[in-house]
Amino acid sequence: IPQSEIPRLSTLYHAKRLIPSSKPPQRRASSTLNTRVGLIRSEITKLSLPNGAIVSAANTALLNGGGVCGAIHNAAGRGLLAECLTLNGCETGDAKITGAYELACRNVIHAVGPVYSKARKTNEHASLLEGCYVAAMRLAVENGLDTIVFPAISTGVFGYPSYEAAEVAICTVRDFLEREEERGGGGLRLVVFCTFESRDEIAYIELLPNYFPPA
Ligand code: AR6
């Protein structure tokens, strides 16, 4: 799937495929921000991003695993795991960057979200999840990338409830892009939420208009 075919929020609102909820918006409307955010339901490895990265929902050892991380390793080929093994792992709430090997993007960013467990307080989960989104976006900017595509980190094997995780993801991206804009722009041209299961898609469709209202 070429990057140009990833639907932006501005287009989705225009085509009435994203309907704002009755909730009062949490943030001001901004047409520029709405063109910098995309939403797609896809197998993440199918996206073609000449100057972009896909994000893997990784584990702290940066080993191959199940879920989206397994799909990325399988599609990228063995070079990806070999490079991961040189990185000395990654802490929960942080991210690391590698090449993309056989994938049609420039880099893979490996982000480690929290395991959702009763032993941790909700706000600790949220700040760890926020941390890995921010770390991934910073890495993309530092490496001169213009596009980053996120799966719904932590919502699979790690058990983070979909709706809560979507809210953290969307709010974190909104704050990051807004801060970039306040500093005079540059940075990321496009941040995409790539869902895979319908429950995540539903959560994003419901929550996005709250943080990125139609302009
Ligand atoms: N493309 C896009 N999204 C996908 C794909 C795909 N090909 N496959 C799954 N998802 P998970 P986690 C969605 O379990 O919860 C691994 O073993 C999936 O529907 O991949 O952060 C790692 O090695 C879900 O919404 O990641 C870690 O040990 C989302 O990706 C652990 O799992 C995340 O689910 C990480 O668990």
Side-chain angles (χ1 to χ4, degrees), residues 36 141 145-146 176-177 179-190:
R36 290 171 71 197
V141 173
L145 301 176
D146 62 22
F176 188 91
L177 292 180
R179 246 171 264 142
E180 264 191 349
E181 218 172 54
E182 280 161 14
R183 286 200 215 101
L188 292 168
R189 257 193 1 182
L190 180 61

Side-chain angles (χ1 to χ4, degrees), residues 14-27:
H14 188 70
K16 297 198 166 43
R17 300 216 318 271
L18 195 59
I19 311 290
S21 70
S22 51
K23 284 188 200 160
Q26 301 274 323
R27 302 285 198 279

Side-chain angles (χ1 to χ4, degrees), residues 27 33 36-37 130-142 145 148 150 168-183 185-189 191 212:
R27 302 285 198 279
L33 289 183
R36 290 171 71 197
V37 176
E130 178 185 339
C132 75
Y133 275 91
V134 170
M137 289 187 282
R138 282 202 186 128
L139 279 173
V141 173
E142 283 163 18
L145 301 176
I148 186 167
F150 285 105
V168 173
I170 293 168
C171 178
T172 304
V173 167
R174 167 81 202 206
D175 289 345
F176 188 91
L177 292 180
E178 207 168 88
R179 246 171 264 142
E180 264 191 349
E181 218 172 54
E182 280 161 14
R183 286 200 215 101
L188 292 168
R189 257 193 1 182
V191 179
F212 294 90

